[in-house]
Amino acid sequence: MVTETFGDMLFTPGPECLKEFPSPDSLQKRVLISTKPPKEYLESKSIKEKGSVSQKGNDPAEEEAWGKEVPDPKLKIEADDKTDPNVEEDSEDEEDQDDGDRKQTTEPKYKSLIAIHAGKPKGGLEEALKVDPNKVRRLSLSEPALEKAAITHGTDIVRFTQRNILRVYPKGTRFNSSNYNPHIGWMHGAQMVAFNMQGYGRSLWLMHGMFTSNGGCGYVKKPDFLLNGKANEVFDPTASLPVKKILKVKVYMGEGWYLDFQHTHFDAYSPPDFYARVGIAGVPADTLMKKTKTVEDNWAPVWDEEFEFPLTVPELALLRVEVHEYDMSEKDDFGGQTCLPLSELRPGIRAVPLYSRKGEKYKCVKVLMRFEFVTV
Protein backbone atom coordinates (compact mmCIF):
# COMPACT_ATOMS: atom_id res chain seq x y z
CA MET A 1 0.00 0.00 0.00
CA VAL A 2 2.89 2.37 0.75
CA THR A 3 4.43 1.95 -2.69
CA GLU A 4 1.04 2.28 -4.39
CA THR A 5 0.22 5.44 -2.43
CA PHE A 6 3.47 7.36 -2.86
CA GLY A 7 4.81 5.84 -6.08
CA ASP A 8 7.90 7.65 -7.39
CA MET A 9 7.78 10.13 -4.50
CA LEU A 10 8.96 7.41 -2.10
CA PHE A 11 12.70 7.50 -1.45
CA THR A 12 14.17 4.04 -0.90
CA PRO A 13 17.84 3.30 -0.15
CA GLY A 14 17.84 -0.06 -1.90
CA PRO A 15 19.00 -3.34 -0.34
CA GLU A 16 21.69 -1.66 1.81
CA CYS A 17 21.52 1.00 4.52
CA LEU A 18 22.37 4.59 3.66
CA LYS A 19 26.03 5.43 4.20
CA GLU A 20 25.29 9.16 4.32
CA PHE A 21 22.19 11.28 4.09
CA PRO A 22 21.27 12.89 0.77
CA SER A 23 21.09 16.69 0.76
CA PRO A 24 17.74 18.34 1.62
CA ASP A 25 17.74 19.83 -1.88
CA SER A 26 17.86 16.39 -3.49
CA LEU A 27 14.97 15.22 -1.30
CA GLN A 28 12.53 17.93 -2.30
CA LYS A 29 9.07 16.49 -3.01
CA ARG A 30 10.20 13.08 -1.78
CA VAL A 31 8.81 10.96 1.08
CA LEU A 32 11.11 9.08 3.47
CA ILE A 33 10.16 6.37 5.94
CA SER A 34 12.03 6.37 9.24
CA THR A 35 11.16 3.70 11.78
CA LYS A 36 12.49 0.61 13.49
CA PRO A 37 12.99 -2.44 11.27
CA PRO A 38 10.33 -5.10 12.03
CA LYS A 39 12.61 -7.39 14.04
CA GLU A 40 14.05 -4.60 16.21
CA TYR A 41 10.58 -3.09 16.71
CA LEU A 42 9.14 -6.35 18.09
CA GLU A 43 12.13 -6.85 20.41
CA SER A 44 11.91 -3.33 21.85
CA LYS A 45 8.14 -3.63 22.26
CA SER A 46 8.59 -6.85 24.21
CA ILE A 47 11.18 -5.24 26.50
CA LYS A 48 8.95 -2.23 27.16
CA GLU A 49 5.97 -4.38 28.03
CA LYS A 50 8.03 -6.32 30.58
CA GLY A 51 9.78 -3.38 32.17
CA SER A 52 7.20 -0.63 32.05
CA VAL A 53 6.81 1.46 35.18
CA SER A 54 4.40 4.23 36.09
CA GLN A 55 5.70 7.77 36.46
CA LYS A 56 4.34 10.79 38.22
CA GLY A 57 4.75 14.32 36.93
CA ASN A 58 5.99 17.09 39.17
CA ASP A 59 5.10 20.04 36.95
CA PRO A 60 3.03 22.75 38.68
CA ALA A 61 -0.63 22.39 37.87
CA GLU A 62 -1.05 26.11 37.39
CA GLU A 63 1.12 28.28 35.18
CA GLU A 64 1.19 32.01 34.83
CA ALA A 65 -1.33 33.51 32.45
CA TRP A 66 1.20 33.74 29.63
CA GLY A 67 2.97 30.43 30.27
CA LYS A 68 5.71 29.13 32.53
CA GLU A 69 9.19 30.63 32.15
CA VAL A 70 11.46 28.65 29.84
CA PRO A 71 13.67 26.32 31.92
CA ASP A 72 17.26 27.44 32.24
CA PRO A 73 19.45 25.57 29.74
CA LYS A 74 22.00 24.94 32.51
CA LEU A 75 21.24 21.26 32.59
CA LYS A 76 19.94 19.64 35.77
CA ILE A 77 19.06 16.07 36.60
CA GLU A 78 15.47 15.75 37.74
CA ALA A 79 15.47 14.06 41.11
CA ASP A 80 12.18 12.28 40.63
CA ASP A 81 12.92 10.97 37.14
CA LYS A 82 13.88 7.32 37.37
CA THR A 83 13.90 6.60 33.67
CA ASP A 84 17.10 5.02 32.38
CA PRO A 85 18.52 7.48 29.83
CA ASN A 86 20.16 4.58 28.04
CA VAL A 87 16.77 3.22 27.00
CA GLU A 88 14.91 4.57 24.06
CA GLU A 89 11.42 5.35 25.34
CA ASP A 90 10.00 5.96 21.90
CA SER A 91 6.35 5.04 21.60
CA GLU A 92 6.15 5.52 17.86
CA ASP A 93 5.25 2.82 15.39
CA GLU A 94 3.07 0.94 17.87
CA GLU A 95 0.69 -1.44 16.17
CA ASP A 96 -0.66 -4.90 16.73
CA GLN A 97 1.49 -7.85 15.70
CA ASP A 98 0.11 -9.56 12.62
CA ASP A 99 -0.08 -13.30 12.05
CA GLY A 100 3.18 -15.17 11.47
CA ASP A 101 2.72 -16.10 7.79
CA ARG A 102 1.92 -12.57 6.69
CA LYS A 103 4.79 -11.15 8.77
CA GLN A 104 7.33 -13.42 7.09
CA THR A 105 6.26 -12.39 3.58
CA THR A 106 5.97 -8.65 4.23
CA GLU A 107 8.99 -8.08 6.48
CA PRO A 108 11.75 -8.08 3.78
CA LYS A 109 9.72 -5.83 1.48
CA TYR A 110 8.79 -3.46 4.29
CA LYS A 111 12.37 -3.29 5.57
CA SER A 112 13.65 -2.32 2.13
CA LEU A 113 11.38 0.74 2.19
CA ILE A 114 12.88 2.14 5.41
CA ALA A 115 15.24 4.94 4.40
CA ILE A 116 16.37 5.87 7.90
CA HIS A 117 16.55 3.07 10.44
CA ALA A 118 15.59 3.98 13.98
CA GLY A 119 16.45 2.22 17.20
CA LYS A 120 19.19 1.91 19.78
CA PRO A 121 22.06 -0.57 19.66
CA LYS A 122 22.64 -2.82 22.64
CA GLY A 123 25.20 -1.60 25.15
CA GLY A 124 23.76 1.62 26.51
CA LEU A 125 24.10 5.28 25.63
CA GLU A 126 27.81 5.22 24.76
CA GLU A 127 27.19 2.51 22.19
CA ALA A 128 24.11 4.31 20.87
CA LEU A 129 26.09 7.51 20.24
CA LYS A 130 28.91 5.81 18.37
CA VAL A 131 29.26 7.00 14.79
CA ASP A 132 29.29 4.23 12.18
CA PRO A 133 31.12 5.42 9.02
CA ASN A 134 29.23 2.85 6.94
CA LYS A 135 25.69 3.55 8.13
CA VAL A 136 23.49 6.46 9.17
CA ARG A 137 20.53 6.10 11.47
CA ARG A 138 18.10 7.88 13.79
CA LEU A 139 18.13 7.84 17.57
CA SER A 140 15.20 9.01 19.72
CA LEU A 141 15.65 10.35 23.25
CA SER A 142 13.06 11.67 25.63
CA GLU A 143 13.50 15.15 27.06
CA PRO A 144 14.90 14.00 30.48
CA ALA A 145 17.10 11.39 28.78
CA LEU A 146 18.68 14.11 26.63
CA GLU A 147 19.19 16.39 29.63
CA LYS A 148 21.01 13.65 31.52
CA ALA A 149 23.01 12.52 28.51
CA ALA A 150 24.11 16.08 27.75
CA ILE A 151 25.79 16.38 31.13
CA THR A 152 28.21 13.51 30.55
CA HIS A 153 28.13 13.01 26.77
CA GLY A 154 27.54 16.51 25.38
CA THR A 155 30.23 16.47 22.71
CA ASP A 156 29.39 12.86 21.81
CA ILE A 157 25.82 13.93 21.05
CA VAL A 158 27.05 16.77 18.83
CA ARG A 159 29.43 14.41 17.00
CA PHE A 160 26.60 11.89 16.54
CA THR A 161 24.30 14.51 14.99
CA GLN A 162 26.92 15.50 12.43
CA ARG A 163 26.24 12.24 10.56
CA ASN A 164 23.02 10.91 12.09
CA ILE A 165 19.59 12.17 13.08
CA LEU A 166 18.60 12.77 16.69
CA ARG A 167 14.95 13.10 17.63
CA VAL A 168 13.92 14.55 21.00
CA TYR A 169 10.37 14.38 22.34
CA PRO A 170 8.52 15.54 25.50
CA LYS A 171 8.40 13.23 28.49
CA GLY A 172 5.17 11.30 28.83
CA THR A 173 4.22 12.91 32.13
CA ARG A 174 3.51 16.26 30.45
CA PHE A 175 -0.20 15.46 30.59
CA ASN A 176 -1.07 19.18 30.49
CA SER A 177 0.63 19.59 27.07
CA SER A 178 3.41 21.75 28.51
CA ASN A 179 6.81 21.88 26.81
CA TYR A 180 10.52 21.88 27.56
CA ASN A 181 13.34 24.19 26.46
CA PRO A 182 14.01 23.39 22.77
CA HIS A 183 17.46 24.98 22.92
CA ILE A 184 18.79 21.93 24.79
CA GLY A 185 18.19 19.88 21.65
CA TRP A 186 19.17 22.59 19.15
CA MET A 187 22.52 23.40 20.72
CA HIS A 188 23.44 19.69 20.65
CA GLY A 189 22.58 19.41 16.96
CA ALA A 190 19.24 17.58 17.24
CA GLN A 191 17.42 17.80 13.92
CA MET A 192 13.98 16.84 15.23
CA VAL A 193 12.79 18.53 18.43
CA ALA A 194 9.22 17.33 18.88
CA PHE A 195 6.78 19.60 20.72
CA ASN A 196 3.24 19.74 22.04
CA MET A 197 2.06 22.30 19.51
CA GLN A 198 -1.12 22.93 21.52
CA GLY A 199 0.97 23.78 24.61
CA TYR A 200 1.04 27.55 24.26
CA GLY A 201 3.66 29.30 26.35
CA ARG A 202 7.22 30.58 26.33
CA SER A 203 8.81 27.33 25.12
CA LEU A 204 6.52 27.20 22.09
CA TRP A 205 7.21 30.89 21.40
CA LEU A 206 10.88 29.97 21.02
CA MET A 207 9.91 27.25 18.55
CA HIS A 208 7.80 29.73 16.57
CA GLY A 209 10.67 32.22 16.60
CA MET A 210 13.33 29.77 15.44
CA PHE A 211 11.29 28.70 12.43
CA THR A 212 10.52 32.19 11.20
CA SER A 213 14.03 31.89 9.71
CA ASN A 214 14.52 30.88 6.10
CA GLY A 215 11.22 32.42 5.05
CA GLY A 216 9.21 30.35 7.49
CA CYS A 217 9.46 27.27 5.24
CA GLY A 218 9.88 24.91 8.21
CA TYR A 219 13.53 24.09 7.54
CA VAL A 220 16.44 25.92 9.20
CA LYS A 221 20.02 24.92 8.44
CA LYS A 222 22.20 24.24 11.46
CA PRO A 223 25.26 26.47 11.99
CA ASP A 224 28.44 25.22 10.35
CA PHE A 225 30.10 24.40 13.68
CA LEU A 226 27.34 21.86 14.37
CA LEU A 227 27.65 20.34 10.89
CA ASN A 228 31.35 20.15 10.19
CA GLY A 229 33.49 19.32 13.17
CA LYS A 230 37.03 18.02 13.14
CA ALA A 231 37.88 14.95 15.19
CA ASN A 232 39.35 16.97 18.04
CA GLU A 233 37.25 20.13 17.63
CA VAL A 234 33.63 19.26 18.42
CA PHE A 235 31.39 22.07 19.65
CA ASP A 236 30.69 21.97 23.39
CA PRO A 237 27.51 23.94 24.28
CA THR A 238 28.57 24.30 27.94
CA ALA A 239 32.14 25.44 27.27
CA SER A 240 33.30 28.91 28.25
CA LEU A 241 33.73 30.73 24.92
CA PRO A 242 34.86 34.28 24.12
CA VAL A 243 32.25 36.90 23.26
CA LYS A 244 31.78 37.22 19.49
CA LYS A 245 29.25 40.04 19.33
CA ILE A 246 27.40 42.46 21.55
CA LEU A 247 23.77 43.13 20.73
CA LYS A 248 22.54 46.58 21.80
CA VAL A 249 18.78 46.86 22.05
CA LYS A 250 17.00 50.13 22.70
CA VAL A 251 13.31 49.97 23.59
CA TYR A 252 11.70 53.29 22.73
CA MET A 253 7.95 52.86 23.11
CA GLY A 254 4.92 50.73 22.37
CA GLU A 255 1.47 51.35 20.96
CA GLY A 256 -1.63 49.63 19.57
CA TRP A 257 -3.15 48.13 22.71
CA TYR A 258 -5.86 50.81 22.73
CA LEU A 259 -7.03 49.53 19.32
CA ASP A 260 -6.57 45.77 19.79
CA PHE A 261 -7.89 45.34 23.35
CA GLN A 262 -11.07 46.33 25.13
CA HIS A 263 -10.47 49.46 27.18
CA THR A 264 -11.26 47.60 30.41
CA HIS A 265 -9.13 44.55 29.56
CA PHE A 266 -6.14 45.50 31.73
CA ASP A 267 -7.75 47.81 34.30
CA ALA A 268 -11.41 48.64 34.76
CA TYR A 269 -10.84 52.17 36.02
CA SER A 270 -7.55 53.50 34.63
CA PRO A 271 -5.14 53.11 31.67
CA PRO A 272 -2.68 50.21 31.85
CA ASP A 273 0.76 50.18 33.49
CA PHE A 274 3.03 48.55 30.89
CA TYR A 275 6.58 47.24 31.18
CA ALA A 276 8.70 45.29 28.70
CA ARG A 277 10.98 42.28 29.13
CA VAL A 278 13.82 41.86 26.65
CA GLY A 279 16.36 39.06 26.59
CA ILE A 280 18.25 36.30 24.85
CA ALA A 281 17.48 32.59 24.61
CA GLY A 282 20.45 30.51 23.55
CA VAL A 283 23.40 28.62 25.00
CA PRO A 284 23.71 28.86 28.81
CA ALA A 285 26.30 31.66 28.73
CA ASP A 286 24.09 33.87 26.52
CA THR A 287 20.71 33.30 28.18
CA LEU A 288 19.54 36.45 29.97
CA MET A 289 16.36 38.51 30.52
CA LYS A 290 16.13 42.21 31.42
CA LYS A 291 13.21 44.46 32.29
CA THR A 292 12.26 48.07 31.66
CA LYS A 293 10.65 50.41 34.13
CA THR A 294 6.85 50.35 34.48
CA VAL A 295 5.10 53.28 32.81
CA GLU A 296 1.89 53.99 34.70
CA ASP A 297 -1.50 54.95 33.26
CA ASN A 298 -0.52 55.09 29.60
CA TRP A 299 -1.82 53.24 26.52
CA ALA A 300 1.33 54.28 24.57
CA PRO A 301 4.17 53.80 27.07
CA VAL A 302 7.56 55.43 26.42
CA TRP A 303 10.39 53.46 28.06
CA ASP A 304 13.45 54.81 26.21
CA GLU A 305 15.83 52.26 27.76
CA GLU A 306 18.85 50.49 26.26
CA PHE A 307 20.22 47.03 27.05
CA GLU A 308 23.39 45.19 26.04
CA PHE A 309 23.69 41.45 25.51
CA PRO A 310 27.13 39.85 25.07
CA LEU A 311 26.88 36.81 22.79
CA THR A 312 29.28 33.89 22.62
CA VAL A 313 27.19 31.84 20.14
CA PRO A 314 25.00 34.35 18.26
CA GLU A 315 24.18 31.70 15.62
CA LEU A 316 21.90 29.91 18.12
CA ALA A 317 20.47 32.99 19.84
CA LEU A 318 16.88 34.26 19.77
CA LEU A 319 15.80 37.72 20.91
CA ARG A 320 12.82 37.53 23.26
CA VAL A 321 10.45 40.48 23.66
CA GLU A 322 7.46 40.49 25.99
CA VAL A 323 5.14 43.22 27.25
CA HIS A 324 3.11 42.88 30.44
CA GLU A 325 0.77 45.09 32.42
CA TYR A 326 1.67 45.48 36.08
CA ASP A 327 -1.08 44.48 38.49
CA MET A 328 -0.53 45.18 42.16
CA SER A 329 -3.20 42.83 43.51
CA GLU A 330 -3.12 39.97 40.99
CA LYS A 331 -0.82 38.40 38.41
CA ASP A 332 0.46 40.76 35.76
CA ASP A 333 -1.54 40.74 32.53
CA PHE A 334 -0.13 39.57 29.21
CA GLY A 335 0.33 42.28 26.57
CA GLY A 336 2.14 40.54 23.72
CA GLN A 337 5.33 38.71 22.76
CA THR A 338 7.67 37.85 19.93
CA CYS A 339 10.86 35.84 19.40
CA LEU A 340 13.30 36.84 16.66
CA PRO A 341 16.30 34.83 15.40
CA LEU A 342 19.42 36.98 15.60
CA SER A 343 20.45 35.67 12.18
CA GLU A 344 17.39 37.44 10.74
CA LEU A 345 17.77 40.64 12.76
CA ARG A 346 18.75 43.78 10.84
CA PRO A 347 20.42 46.82 12.44
CA GLY A 348 18.48 50.03 12.73
CA ILE A 349 15.17 51.27 14.10
CA ARG A 350 12.33 48.79 13.67
CA ALA A 351 8.61 48.65 14.53
CA VAL A 352 8.40 45.12 15.95
CA PRO A 353 4.90 43.53 15.84
CA LEU A 354 3.79 41.50 18.84
CA TYR A 355 1.85 38.25 18.95
CA SER A 356 -0.71 36.64 21.24
CA ARG A 357 -0.06 33.63 23.49
CA LYS A 358 -1.16 31.41 20.59
CA GLY A 359 1.27 33.06 18.19
CA GLU A 360 -1.37 35.09 16.36
CA LYS A 361 -0.19 38.50 15.21
CA TYR A 362 -1.96 41.52 16.69
CA LYS A 363 -3.29 43.99 14.15
CA CYS A 364 -1.89 47.13 15.74
CA VAL A 365 0.34 46.30 18.73
CA LYS A 366 3.99 47.14 18.03
CA VAL A 367 7.12 48.06 19.94
CA LEU A 368 9.55 50.61 18.49
CA MET A 369 13.10 49.30 18.95
CA ARG A 370 16.64 49.86 17.70
CA PHE A 371 19.16 47.09 17.11
CA GLU A 372 22.91 47.43 16.86
CA PHE A 373 25.57 44.73 16.58
CA VAL A 374 29.10 45.34 17.82
CA THR A 375 31.77 42.84 16.77
CA VAL A 376 34.28 42.13 19.51
Side-chain angles (χ1 to χ4, degrees):
M1 184 168 59
V2 173
T3 54
E4 291 176 0
T5 302
F6 295 110
D8 294 337
M9 291 178 63
L10 186 65
F11 176 88
T12 55
E16 298 182 357
C17 295
L18 286 174
K19 292 188 176 182
E20 63 179 19
F21 288 119
S23 68
D25 184 62
S26 67
L27 293 174
Q28 289 191 64
K29 300 180 181 180
R30 302 297 296 275
V31 175
L32 288 82
I33 296 177
S34 176
T35 185
K36 297 175 185 176
K39 181 180 178 182
E40 287 84 342
Y41 162 70
L42 293 175
E43 289 178 352
S44 65
K45 184 177 180 182
S46 175
I47 293 173
K48 278 192 287 185
E49 288 174 348
K50 292 179 181 178
S52 61
V53 293
S54 62
Q55 298 183 9
K56 296 182 179 180
N58 65 336
D59 290 336
E62 183 177 348
E63 295 184 349
E64 297 180 25
W66 49 86
K68 190 177 179 181
E69 181 57 82
V70 177
D72 195 298
K74 296 178 179 65
L75 307 172
K76 298 180 180 178
I77 299 177
E78 297 186 20
D80 66 329
D81 180 49
K82 299 180 181 179
T83 305
D84 183 357
N86 296 343
V87 177
E88 182 185 26
E89 306 165 85
D90 203 346
S91 59
E92 64 181 28
D93 312 322
E94 289 192 0
E95 57 185 40
D96 294 333
Q97 183 177 353
D98 210 338
D99 61 271
D101 293 338
R102 184 176 178 182
K103 174 180 171 295
Q104 290 178 2
T105 57
T106 59
E107 182 177 310
K109 294 180 180 179
Y110 175 55
K111 190 172 183 178
S112 67
L113 300 179
I114 301 175
I116 306 173
H117 286 209
K120 184 184 69 65
K122 297 178 180 179
L125 186 62
E126 290 186 7
E127 193 67 27
L129 293 174
K130 281 186 177 180
V131 177
D132 187 342
N134 298 315
K135 183 175 68 173
V136 291
R137 55 193 172 86
R138 175 172 65 81
L139 176 67
S140 290
L141 292 175
S142 69
E143 155 205 349
L146 175 67
E147 291 177 358
K148 291 180 179 181
I151 296 174
T152 55
H153 298 80
T155 55
D156 293 333
I157 298 173
V158 175
R159 186 181 291 107
F160 177 84
T161 59
Q162 288 172 350
R163 271 189 53 81
N164 303 279
I165 288 181
L166 175 62
R167 170 180 171 264
V168 187
Y169 57 96
K171 58 185 179 183
T173 54
R174 289 190 179 275
F175 53 86
N176 58 351
S177 294
S178 61
N179 281 302
Y180 54 104
N181 185 354
H183 259 101
I184 298 175
W186 292 337
M187 66 187 181
H188 286 89
Q191 295 90 344
M192 302 169 67
V193 180
F195 250 42
N196 291 314
M197 298 305 291
Q198 73 278 18
Y200 304 114
R202 286 184 170 116
S203 294
L204 189 57
W205 300 344
L206 297 183
M207 182 71 75
H208 288 164
M210 172 63 79
F211 286 96
T212 58
S213 295
N214 201 16
C217 70
Y219 169 78
V220 177
K221 184 181 177 182
K222 293 195 293 184
D224 288 340
F225 58 81
L226 286 174
L227 289 170
N228 308 311
K230 298 180 181 178
N232 298 324
E233 296 181 9
V234 179
F235 174 70
D236 184 355
T238 60
S240 179
L241 301 172
V243 174
K244 285 185 181 179
K245 292 182 180 180
I246 296 176
L247 172 63
K248 294 183 178 182
V249 179
K250 186 157 188 177
V251 186
Y252 290 107
M253 63 172 294
E255 65 173 2
W257 291 280
Y258 191 83
L259 300 174
D260 284 346
F261 290 82
Q262 293 184 356
H263 297 171
T264 57
H265 177 84
F266 298 106
D267 197 313
Y269 303 105
S270 64
D273 308 324
F274 286 124
Y275 66 88
R277 298 178 73 234
V278 182
I280 296 294
V283 298
D286 296 348
T287 300
L288 180 66
M289 288 296 291
K290 297 184 178 182
K291 178 183 172 183
T292 68
K293 62 188 176 186
T294 300
V295 177
E296 297 182 355
D297 299 334
N298 201 323
W299 283 98
V302 177
W303 296 292
D304 201 25
E305 294 187 42
E306 186 170 358
F307 305 102
E308 290 189 3
F309 301 98
L311 303 169
T312 60
V313 189
E315 298 88 345
L316 291 175
L318 295 170
L319 176 67
R320 294 176 53 191
V321 181
E322 299 178 10
V323 175
H324 303 284
E325 197 271 339
Y326 174 73
D327 195 320
M328 184 179 299
S329 59
E330 299 178 1
K331 290 182 179 179
D332 295 350
D333 296 314
F334 175 79
Q337 60 81 24
T338 190
C339 287
L340 304 169
L342 260 65
S343 59
E344 303 276 319
L345 216 56
R346 298 293 176 261
I349 297 176
R350 305 281 183 247
V352 179
L354 297 188
Y355 296 77
S356 69
R357 288 184 65 250
K358 294 184 177 181
E360 298 166 345
K361 186 177 178 180
Y362 290 126
K363 292 182 180 179
C364 301
V365 176
K366 293 179 177 64
V367 177
L368 189 64
M369 309 177 75
R370 187 189 71 204
F371 307 118
E372 180 184 354
F373 289 98
V374 178
T375 304
V376 178

